[in-house]
């Protein structure tokens, strides 16, 4: 895991497929929008660190962010997205979160990382479990899913 170059960022989003449970509309790649996103994430956004997740051959397959890095409290949040269903279920996300935890600690001095997910996102819940995260809050009905149902935020 390392920072994206702008061409790698574009390559990732050219193959990105939105999760149908969370996003009803398919993702449509727009070069200018992706360029603006890259510039914002790497040059303007403060208290965030943005990384690409790559296969051993260099193919970008995910994004990992440390968010709201607080040097005073030594805490931050993280987020992860994988490119498509093809990439999920192979341990890539678990390894990326593990590496992100190490980067947060060694490079940024973070002692506490917060992550959240919907209660029905069993793969992410399993990642949290495998890596020793503890449930500290449940917000009922925090997400409205595509099918109209509501889901809790963990």
């Amino acid at each position: 895991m390392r920072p994206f170059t702008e061409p790698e960022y574009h390559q990732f989003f050219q193959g990105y497929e939105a999760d149908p449970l969370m996003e009803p509309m398919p993702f449509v790649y727009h070069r200018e929008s992706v360029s603006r996103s890259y510039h914002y994430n790497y040059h303007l956004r403060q208290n965030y660190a943005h990384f690409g997740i790559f296969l051993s051959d260099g193919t970008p397959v995910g994004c990992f962010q440390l968010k709201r890095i607080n040097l005073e409290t030594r805490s931050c949040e993280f987020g992860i997205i994988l490119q498509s269903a093809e990439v999920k279920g192979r341990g890539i996300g678990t390894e990326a979160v593990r590496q992100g935890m190490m980067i947060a600690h060694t490079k940024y001095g973070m002692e506490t990382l917060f992550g959240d997910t919907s209660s029905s996102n069993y793969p992410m819940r399993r990642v949290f479990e495998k890596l020793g995260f503890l449930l500290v809050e449940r917000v009922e009905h925090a997400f409205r899913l595509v099918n109209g149902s509501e889901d809790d935020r963990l």
Side-chain angles (χ1 to χ4, degrees):
M1 196 162 61
R2 59 175 171 72
F4 277 113
T5 64
E6 189 168 353
E8 291 168 337
Y9 197 71
H10 280 274
Q11 183 182 357
F12 169 76
F13 279 104
Q14 286 169 340
Y16 178 69
E17 298 172 8
D19 185 333
L21 279 177
M22 301 303 286
E23 180 57 52
M25 302 299 293
F27 175 79
V28 178
Y29 171 79
H30 294 286
R31 182 166 190 70
E32 297 79 21
S33 296
V34 171
S35 287
R36 279 194 304 274
S37 173
Y38 179 84
H39 180 73
Y40 177 71
N41 282 317
Y42 282 97
H43 302 292
L44 299 176
R45 201 168 214 183
Q46 296 182 7
N47 301 321
Y48 278 65
H50 198 85
F51 302 93
I53 302 165
F54 299 88
L55 297 178
S56 59
D57 68 1
T59 302
V61 295
C63 293
F64 182 89
Q65 278 189 338
L66 297 174
K67 306 185 287 187
R68 292 178 264 293
I69 297 169
N70 187 320
L71 299 175
E72 188 174 304
T73 63
R74 300 177 65 145
S75 65
C76 66
E77 301 168 30
F78 76 87
I80 182 172
I81 59 171
L82 295 178
Q83 189 175 45
S84 64
E86 192 176 287
V87 176
K88 297 175 182 177
R90 297 171 43 190
I92 294 169
T94 301
E95 183 55 30
V97 173
R98 186 186 331 273
Q99 287 181 28
M101 291 167 65
M102 292 300 300
I103 291 168
H105 180 71
T106 59
K107 185 172 182 178
Y108 298 96
M110 298 295 103
E111 295 295 330
T112 304
L113 267 72
F114 294 98
D116 69 1
T117 192
S118 65
S119 62
S120 64
N121 187 343
Y122 296 105
M124 192 66 215
R125 289 175 64 178
R126 181 72 181 121
V127 169
F128 287 143
E129 182 181 303
K130 285 192 275 188
L131 297 178
F133 282 80
L134 302 173
L135 178 63
V136 296
E137 180 181 45
R138 179 183 207 107
V139 179
E140 293 184 1
H141 313 292
F143 296 114
R144 180 169 301 278
L145 301 180
V146 174
N147 65 10
S149 66
E150 294 180 337
D151 205 353
D152 297 349
R153 186 180 83 199
L154 306 177

